[in-house]
Amino acid sequence: MSATGRSLGHVVVIGAGIAGLAAAHRLLGCGARVTVLEAGDRVGGKLLPGEIAGVRVDLGAESMLARRPEAVTLAREAGLGEALQPPATATASIWTRGALRPMPKGHVMGVPGTAAALSGVLSDEGLARIERDADLPRTETGDDVAVGEYVAARLGREVVDRLVEPLLGGVYAGDAYRISMRSAVPQLFQAARTHTSLTEGVREIQAKAAAQQQTGPVFMGIAGGIGRLPLAVAESVRARGGEILTGTPARELRREPAGGWRITTGERVLHADAVIVAVPAPAAAGLLRAESPGAAAELSAVEYASMALITLAYRRSGLRLPEGSGFLVPPVDGRTIKASTFASHKWGWIAEEDPDVVVLRTSVGRHGETEILGRDDADLVEVSRRDLREATGLDAAPLRTRVTRWTDGLPQYPVGHHARVARIRGHVAKLPGLAVCGAQYDGVGIPACIASAYAAVDQLAGDPAGVAELTANPVQSLHGGAGE
Ligand SMILES: Cc1cc2nc3c(=O)[nH]c(=O)nc-3n(C[C@H](O)[C@H](O)[C@H](O)COP(=O)(O)OP(=O)(O)OC[C@H]3O[C@@H](n4cnc5c(N)ncnc54)[C@H](O)[C@@H]3O)c2cc1C
């Protein structure tokens, strides 16, 4: 039974990434009978546990925001409470203007409350330009504006190019001059609407956060890898009677004349009272085309960025690395890698796996960059080693390397994204017993994906509270600190 007392009957969830699994988990709590269809031969989507040189590591997402509750709560519910682990270090660097420089503190996605907060990272001219924010006339945001465009107008391009861009790039692998401020950094969008001076708006955000005395780690990992989360949720779903079918792509989704849905896979035809489509936008477009061409057209327009992660394992003996969890690289500095995570520094559990092995990872590939991802694995390892040598002096030969490619890994949130999502939801709402969730709607971070899954279940259950909560709660899709 749902919260409203309505029976949900048999619900088919399409896609066993973290969104689909979270939906299945919640549906079972509402008394539904659940079948999850997954095209691949494993569950988890962008969450992928792996190993290198005998050390367990994450080969996809590696950290989750803990300042909103969904991901850590789901981990606890799936029995991973004891394994939750904050990063071992909160310091990170930025490789810019020829040196590794400490990542400034006291900013909101790279936007400072004062120019002084960015000293050391920006040039003197860049810092002086920030001061002009206080005297500039208002900069209109309209219904939405690109983060880079707005911040550059207020504080100058250097803040965007050296700080906002690599920080946003770490989340979206996108372009700060295209990414929606309203969707990606809603706190800044709100500040821009209510303040003429952006730095003043940021100081107010910081004062509010201080007054709320938010304590505890901003991010959390899981000993053994974030990749354990979907496995544990899947286990819990199965243990409570849910069915998860891997190697079973949904190929067609049609409404039944008498109500309910018919889902066709390669070999089977399933009948369901309701369906949750929890697959990336291109696959969702394909499934929805027959019954909702409007939603399909909107979903087809969602663009994705591809990237690759290069994981390198070194013998610890004699290895010297800078302190901290790693560094980000602004594109303006013209390097090839866009970030490096010193995984053995960042996560105590990785350091403990084998004290003689140190694990690092780098990432390459931003939205629209195709050349770099066309290179073979050996080449990606070589460019990573070259950039690591220049940034940190690390010259040792790795014991093992692993390249993990994430083609179309991250949906892009350009200006107007919120309006596109509203149109998709409008089309979907016309079809009873259908809901959508996943990274392309309300934020790409793991907690945001889980929240979208819960909202999808609440929509089916006829309980709008979840949807309202989601809208009231600014979408925070940040992740990873200095990681990729
Ligand atoms: C390299 C990388 C690093 C990241 N790092 C972080 C991080 O550190 N922290 C963080 O919070 N976020 C991170 N993210 C973002 C986050 O991991 C993803 O946004 C999130 O996991 C997406 O979950 P999802 O369930 O929406 O989609 P997915 O994980 O893409 O899952 C969708 C599933 O649907 C399946 N599917 C597709 N078509 C069909 C079909 N027709 N029938 C059945 N199944 C189908 C797919 O096989 C897949 O398993 C990262 C993303 C990437 C790519």
Side-chain angles (χ1 to χ4, degrees), residues 14-19 37-40 44-47 60-63 248-250 278-280 283 307 309 406 409-410 438-439 444-446 449 479:
I14 305 178
I18 195 61
L37 305 178
E38 166 55 47
K46 310 302 186 300
L47 277 54
E62 50 116 44
S63 143
T248 311
V279 298
M307 70 218 65
L309 299 180
W406 291 103
L410 282 165
V444 301
I446 296 165
C449 292
H479 64 76

Side-chain angles (χ1 to χ4, degrees), residues 108 185-192 195 198-212:
V108 175
V185 210
Q187 314 94 301
L188 282 187
F189 188 68
Q190 188 58 26
H195 293 75
L198 180 58
T199 47
E200 192 184 305
V202 167
R203 288 197 296 278
E204 191 179 285
I205 294 171
Q206 291 168 333
K208 273 192 193 149
Q212 285 171 358

Side-chain angles (χ1 to χ4, degrees), residues 296-307:
E298 295 286 356
L299 283 159
S300 299
V302 177
E303 294 181 19
Y304 277 74
S306 298
M307 70 218 65

Side-chain angles (χ1 to χ4, degrees), residues 145-149 157 160-161 164-181 184-185 303-305 331-332 338 365-369 410-415:
V145 64
V147 185
E149 185 191 325
R157 277 190 73 116
V160 178
D161 292 347
V164 177
E165 177 77 63
L167 283 163
L168 263 183
V171 181
Y172 292 93
D175 173 353
Y177 292 95
R178 292 189 70 221
I179 292 176
S180 154
M181 186 152 88
V185 210
E303 294 181 19
Y304 277 74
V332 73
K338 55 179 192 167
R366 296 182 177 88
H367 179 243
E369 277 182 5
L410 282 165
Q412 297 299 290
Y413 278 45
V415 172

